[in-house]
Amino acid sequence: MAPTPATAPASPHTSAPLTTIQWLICAIAAIGFAFDTYELLMAPLIIRPALEQLGGLTFGSPEYLRWVGLLFYVPAVCGGIFGLLGGYLTDRFGRRRVLTFSIMLYALAAFACGFVTSIGWLLVLRCLVFVGVCVEFVAATAWLAELFYHDPKQRERVLGWTQAFGSFGGVLVAGAYYLIVTYGQNLPEIHGSHMPWRYLTMSGVIPAVPLIVIRPFLPESPVWREKKAAGTLKRPSIAELFSPRFRRTTIVTTIMFACTFGAAFGAIQQMPQQIVPGLEDVRTLPPPARQQVVSQAQSFQEYGGLLGRICLALLAARIVSRRQLLWVFQIPGLIVMPIIFFMAPNEPFAFIKWGILLYGLFTISQMSFWGNYMPRVYPTYLRGTGESFAANIGGRMIGTFAALLTTTLAASMPGPSATHRMAYAAASVALLCYVVGFTASFFLPEPKLEELPE
């Protein structure tokens, strides 16, 4: 039987042009990655104003810090648990079907967040958003990797470039927040007020519309489908991840995923709403202008992340060693991250925004690295489960605990203000995550082959 366009072997020297279906799949995957980030990066923009409106809480108070930690960490735990289940289900029932249901879940939950009347309900709905997003990432990377199964160079480029749209989603959410803060008074009132955070959460449903309409009609992963039809697809097993063949890979990638997410949630996501509004040249601004500066901080962070993801996409097919590819971003980040946060409270925003761009470049790029690396170290029947364990147990459940750690440390950190204490806590957590991640990288297994393992 002739191979399908999705699985046809490419020339050893050149890659075959993408078919129309492949282009459509890549476009939908890119929108999905952008939407995932759009939803996740709402958190640092909405949490502070939501807590102030729904709970009447004061920034820096013990109750405020407790809820900030819970809103960052509890949804991530739920996403980790159900995301792991979703990874198992993608190996059992296919990539496309699970992707479709995950998008519907977090689109509806995101829209409903705009109408909540209590912090508790906001927490519940953010948990549902995270569940959908965590499943989406694992299923989408497995789907793309298997689409270009026989062309390693093209696979690296496709995974790199589509994941770069994750940072584009961050730019979109920052831009949307800026527009809502500036023109939100023209929108209909929700519960008697024009609160920008409500409109922002509801806007998360917009990018989901084309995904929900188109994705169910796209083809299943050809590799998974053929093995399923031939009856050769083995049943996935979480226990097998710790068999001698996979144990080192599972443990090291889980630790390093945790460090990547720890730096992001424990430090990066604290900057826009928890630190920037307290800077000397920002805190005296009127509330609308202050929130515009917050939006700028988020934008610079995502411009840096987008630049980092593009750099990784360009280097992924050129640097053979996965460990050396990671070090291109990891070593500079180890130096830059803690310095920026230690300096932030004492410097003007005009200076700090460039530091924000740099730490976005070095840290967010590492999230794309894992999307390229993970499909190469697990076979087809275990690919979704293996990726899901590292991403969800390591990244979502352990890594995002750094947000709770940061807010807890901030309560006891020295410093003349709540902003100083939060910044110093974030710097300490960032340093810890980078040191542990860099140390673990020396044990990261190098994939044995360029092609995906069977």
Side-chain angles (χ1 to χ4, degrees), residues 91-92 227 231-236 240 245 380-382:
D91 287 334
R92 287 282 287 120
K227 287 183 175 292
T232 59
L233 187 69
K234 295 172 62 177
R235 184 180 292 271
E240 190 170 352
R245 179 184 174 190
T380 303
Y381 74 95
L382 205 58

Side-chain angles (χ1 to χ4, degrees), residues 62-360:
E63 186 69 4
Y64 174 90
L65 291 174
R66 185 177 74 88
W67 273 109
V68 169
L70 290 174
L71 281 165
F72 272 115
Y73 185 55
V74 174
V77 171
C78 293
I81 294 171
F82 287 95
L84 179 60
L85 175 62
Y88 175 85
L89 293 176
T90 62
D91 287 334
R92 287 282 287 120
F93 301 109
R95 291 34 171 144
R96 185 193 62 181
R97 184 181 304 174
V98 175
L99 280 167
T100 302
F101 283 109
S102 69
I103 291 169
M104 293 177 67
L105 173 63
Y106 66 72
L108 294 174
F111 186 78
C113 281
F115 297 95
V116 296
T117 56
S118 69
I119 301 175
W121 270 111
L122 178 63
L123 179 59
V124 169
L125 291 171
R126 286 296 296 174
C127 287
L128 294 177
V129 170
F130 260 74
V131 169
V133 167
C134 291
V135 175
E136 156 79 14
F137 171 78
V138 172
T141 53
W143 193 33
L144 286 173
E146 291 167 358
L147 179 67
F148 299 96
Y149 182 82
H150 289 291
D151 193 338
K153 298 294 185 183
Q154 194 171 61
R155 184 184 68 241
E156 294 293 325
R157 288 194 294 269
V158 166
L159 282 169
W161 285 108
T162 53
Q163 287 183 94
F165 279 82
S167 286
F168 185 63
V171 174
L172 284 178
V173 76
Y177 190 64
Y178 181 88
L179 291 174
I180 290 168
V181 167
T182 306
Y183 304 107
Q185 295 299 317
N186 299 320
L187 297 172
E189 290 186 354
I190 300 176
H191 296 307
S193 66
H194 296 277
M195 295 300 294
W197 70 268
R198 292 187 181 276
Y199 302 126
L200 185 64
T201 59
M202 296 174 67
S203 70
V205 75
I206 297 173
V209 174
L211 301 181
I212 292 173
V213 172
I214 298 173
R215 187 167 274 173
F217 301 99
L218 295 177
E220 180 55 85
S221 158
V223 175
W224 183 91
R225 185 185 64 241
E226 289 168 9
K227 287 183 175 292
K228 182 73 172 178
T232 59
L233 187 69
K234 295 172 62 177
R235 184 180 292 271
S237 167
I238 294 176
E240 190 170 352
L241 297 177
F242 295 92
S243 65
R245 179 184 174 190
F246 300 114
R247 185 186 299 123
R248 178 180 170 184
T249 298
T250 300
I251 293 173
V252 174
T253 55
T254 299
I255 291 172
M256 295 186 69
F257 243 113
C259 292
T260 302
F261 275 75
F265 279 78
I268 288 179
Q269 292 205 23
Q270 307 305 321
M271 181 65 86
Q273 281 284 23
Q274 312 302 325
I275 298 173
V276 167
L279 301 182
E280 186 174 352
D281 58 339
V282 178
R283 64 173 177 262
T284 56
L285 296 174
R290 191 161 60 243
Q291 290 305 307
Q292 288 176 345
V293 175
V294 168
S295 174
Q296 290 179 42
Q298 185 81 17
S299 296
F300 268 77
Q301 175 179 300
E302 295 311 313
Y303 293 148
L306 180 58
L307 180 60
R309 289 181 188 264
I310 290 173
C311 289
L312 187 133
L314 293 172
L315 295 173
R318 291 171 170 81
I319 298 178
V320 175
S321 168
R322 299 297 90 180
R323 190 179 298 129
Q324 291 177 6
L325 175 63
L326 180 60
W327 285 347
V328 169
F329 304 95
Q330 202 176 44
I331 294 174
L334 174 61
I335 299 168
V336 167
M337 279 283 285
I339 291 176
I340 292 170
F341 280 90
F342 274 122
M343 292 175 59
N346 302 309
E347 300 293 338
F349 177 71
F351 174 76
I352 290 300
K353 67 183 182 182
W354 298 108
I356 292 173
L357 184 142
L358 283 178
Y359 73 54

